[in-house]
Amino acid sequence: MRHKKAEVFLIATAVMATLLCLCLLHGRVQENLRADELAKRSRMVEELMLTDLALFMEARYTRHLSLADRHSAFQDHPMSLEHFPAGSLAGPPPHLTGVER
Amino acid sequence: MFTGHRERNILEFTLSSLLRRRGKHLALVVIYTALVFLLASVMFFAGSIREEASIVLRSSPEIILQKMIAGRQDLVPMRYAEVAEKIRGVQRVSPRLWGYYYSPATKSNYTLMVPDNFSYGDGHIVIGNGIARVMSAAKGDRISLLSPEGDPLTFIIAEVMDSRSELISSDLMLVSEGDFRELFDMPEGYVTDLALSVKNEKELSTIARKLSELLPGTRPVLRDEILRTYDAVFNWRAGLMITLLGASVFAFAIFAWDRASGLSAEERREIGILKAVGWETSDIILMKFWEGAVISLSSFLMGMVFAYLHVYFTSGALFWPVLKGWSVLYPEFRLLPHVDLYSIFTLFFLTVVPYTLITIIPSWRTATMDPDEVMRA
């Protein structure tokens, strides 16, 4: 008895598993190829004394998340609550919410 | 595993059975693949950002000293630098001049900074690639920024920063100290904050404590805290992760519950017939195992491959609307692949294994019953 469907399934699974392995391999190769790029960014951070990634740029306390303080989310007065969408994605840094020095 | 003829026969039968109800099972594979895709995309995206932040921000200043007045950050007098410099273990104190500039024309916020050695001099500016894109500006062009009094200050663009550094420099503008002070009307002798260089990392917390004692009203932010910030934001418990993962895990739970809660009448009848024609309980369990494995393994592999392509070849295009929020200026960056095998195995054991087991349990219950009873039920 020929197992046509089983063979097709096993071949398809092997192809998909190979594709996944190729993706992982691509990741490793890229990590090595782009090491210089990463080193350049590290140098830039050192030279300009940068502290944050430019990821959430709509509010000052999300642009420089690590330098935010407990009050920055209140904007202009105590009832003027934080309203930027990034505020709900990027929570306050742990040194503000955890045990402070 | 596939050496046995019995296994192959059962797999063949399982696939034929799945294909008989192809509409239902195809829909199942699509939903399952979408779930794995979303979970894996979040995992790849967060992992890469965390890795990038942990490597790049390791070069940040060891301590940033801010002055706080009434809960808000205030300008630091330069005499604070002299006090900090005298603390044992502090190697160097560098004043930092930086601030935000809102451009009404492009409706975006820029970060203006004064680098240590700005070689281009007054009247020149270096801009991030994101700003160049939003303003459609290039090297040699002139741009004007408004002072608090509304007076325009014109700058010649001396350089546009490398597009490959957008993740840290997209909204940066570098100017000379003189221009910065003139633009923001900032008094001489004051800076935004101080960056402290410390030789021995073990002394950081002691130096931070001394700073707080000698300069009350100041707040030292340690490099370790900067690094922990990004680790926390892109941790699975944080806002972004919990929003995306919570919805996905909840959807998966409903989906799995539906499978676990029982078999359809048609499936029960099929099991009854198979038992009646002589199938063993173990054959039926093996068939159901294959049914679960075929669906979950295919969905897992497809979801993972699609997620990888999504995050590293389109830079996570589906996440952009979420990450952009209200910001006009957004960096265009290619994430550096960071694939963690541990996370892949975790995802595998959280999706494929429970689904396969869930498929077996109700079938096992039915398969142990009398065939006559199963078919009549």
Side-chain angles (χ1 to χ4, degrees):
Chain A
M1 183 188 167
R2 272 210 73 195
H3 302 102
K4 209 175 155 200
K5 289 189 191 89
E7 277 164 18
V8 170
F9 167 74
L10 292 174
I11 291 169
T13 307
V15 168
M16 284 189 291
T18 311
L19 276 177
L20 184 59
C21 290
L22 284 176
C23 285
L24 303 185
L25 194 70
H26 170 265
R28 275 291 148 94
V29 172
Q30 284 289 303
E31 257 179 81
N32 293 331
L33 281 179
R34 293 170 65 190
D36 279 354
E37 206 182 293
L38 201 61
K40 216 177 260 180
R41 283 201 284 272
S42 293
R43 265 202 307 280
M44 194 172 187
V45 166
E46 194 175 354
E47 281 166 15
L48 298 176
M49 293 182 279
L50 302 178
T51 53
D52 288 85
L53 299 182
L55 262 181
F56 307 105
M57 293 186 279
E58 52 200 54
R60 64 194 163 89
Y61 52 90
T62 55
R63 170 63 182 92
H64 288 96
L65 209 53
S66 62
L67 301 184
D69 55 70
R70 282 183 178 278
H71 308 272
S72 50
F74 292 100
Q75 304 281 319
D76 300 317
H77 58 87
M79 287 306 287
S80 168
L81 295 172
E82 194 277 322
H83 56 269
F84 287 103
S88 51
L89 293 177
H95 54 273
L96 288 187
T97 52
V99 182
E100 280 191 314
R101 260 188 322 272
Chain B
M1 195 175 190
F2 298 101
T3 49
H5 205 68
R6 175 172 164 257
E7 276 91 352
R8 283 202 180 218
N9 280 339
I10 289 176
L11 176 60
E12 185 73 17
F13 181 84
T14 310
L15 291 166
S16 303
S17 163
L18 288 173
L19 285 172
R20 269 199 299 279
R21 287 174 295 232
R22 71 187 69 195
K24 181 192 161 194
H25 290 119
L26 198 67
L28 210 60
V29 169
V30 170
I31 295 169
Y32 204 145
T33 306
L35 270 171
V36 174
F37 166 78
L38 190 62
L39 286 168
S41 293
V42 172
M43 191 180 81
F44 288 146
F45 189 86
S48 285
I49 296 269
R50 264 207 320 264
E51 184 71 3
E52 174 97 22
S54 75
I55 295 172
V56 168
L57 297 179
R58 197 156 286 282
S59 308
S60 299
E62 278 92 353
I63 300 177
I64 294 282
L65 189 71
Q66 297 178 323
K67 186 184 175 201
M68 307 296 289
I69 289 187
R72 286 179 181 267
Q73 198 192 335
D74 201 51
L75 297 180
V76 180
M78 273 308 284
R79 65 181 168 81
Y80 278 32
E82 289 157 25
V83 176
E85 229 159 24
K86 284 181 190 145
I87 296 175
R88 191 199 291 259
V90 175
Q91 215 174 8
R92 195 162 54 99
V93 179
S94 314
R96 293 202 318 162
L97 276 168
W98 65 278
Y100 301 110
Y101 178 85
Y102 175 71
S103 162
T106 59
K107 292 187 170 55
S108 48
N109 287 309
Y110 307 142
T111 301
L112 262 92
M113 287 196 104
V114 176
D116 242 358
N117 301 303
F118 187 68
S119 52
Y120 297 106
D122 290 350
H124 289 81
I125 194 166
V126 173
I127 59 171
N129 199 52
I131 300 176
R133 194 172 50 244
V134 169
M135 289 180 132
S136 306
K139 185 179 172 181
D141 288 355
R142 282 167 192 273
I143 57 169
S144 291
L145 302 179
L146 296 176
S147 71
E149 280 77 38
D151 303 324
L153 253 88
T154 305
F155 296 91
I156 298 168
I157 300 174
E159 193 187 323
V160 175
M161 283 181 234
D162 191 348
S163 62
R164 284 171 299 181
S165 68
E166 274 205 48
L167 194 53
I168 50 167
S169 69
S170 181
D171 68 334
L172 281 189
M173 280 182 157
L174 307 179
V175 290
S176 70
E177 184 178 341
D179 284 340
F180 184 88
R181 289 193 188 277
E182 192 182 344
L183 182 68
F184 291 114
D185 198 16
M186 192 184 271
E188 289 287 341
Y190 285 86
V191 291
T192 314
D193 52 30
L194 299 172
L196 275 70
S197 230
V198 176
K199 202 186 257 176
N200 185 358
E201 279 204 31
K202 286 179 188 158
E203 289 177 0
L204 282 177
S205 53
T206 316
I207 292 171
R209 187 173 42 81
K210 279 187 188 164
L211 282 167
S212 304
E213 281 167 14
L214 292 169
L215 301 165
T218 59
R219 188 175 79 121
V221 178
L222 306 186
R223 182 167 61 192
D224 201 38
E225 291 171 340
I226 293 174
L227 292 169
R228 277 211 309 270
T229 299
Y230 286 90
D231 196 51
V233 168
F234 290 98
N235 189 293
W236 66 271
R237 284 170 299 177
L240 175 67
M241 300 296 122
I242 210 82
T243 313
L244 292 166
L245 292 181
S248 313
V249 169
F250 189 60
F252 185 75
I254 295 174
F255 174 57
W257 176 254
D258 180 56
R259 295 293 299 166
S261 58
L263 299 172
S264 68
E266 200 183 342
E267 283 171 311
R268 288 168 71 93
R269 202 169 53 244
E270 187 186 22
I271 291 175
I273 294 169
L274 290 174
K275 287 269 296 189
V277 296
W279 279 47
E280 298 285 329
T281 303
S282 62
D283 295 335
I284 290 169
I285 290 173
L286 191 61
M287 181 192 89
K288 284 294 166 184
F289 162 79
W290 273 117
E291 198 180 298
V294 165
I295 291 174
S296 57
L297 192 64
S298 315
S299 308
F300 176 79
L301 290 171
M302 283 195 288
M304 290 299 283
V305 172
F306 290 151
Y308 189 91
L309 299 176
H310 166 233
V311 173
Y312 299 119
F313 287 85
T314 72
S315 299
L318 290 177
F319 297 150
W320 286 359
V322 183
L323 289 167
K324 268 184 185 170
W326 293 349
S327 57
V328 174
L329 212 169
Y330 196 74
E332 282 180 8
F333 53 87
R334 268 177 65 218
L335 282 171
L336 203 65
H338 172 71
V339 181
D340 177 11
L341 285 178
Y342 172 75
S343 309
I344 294 179
F345 283 120
T346 309
L347 199 60
F348 179 84
F349 283 106
L350 284 176
T351 54
V352 176
V353 176
Y355 184 81
T356 309
L357 290 178
I358 275 164
T359 322
I360 294 172
I361 294 163
S363 316
W364 170 73
R365 262 195 252 127
T366 313
T368 48
M369 287 161 73
D370 186 55
D372 183 51
E373 196 186 327
V374 174
M375 281 188 280
R376 279 175 197 278

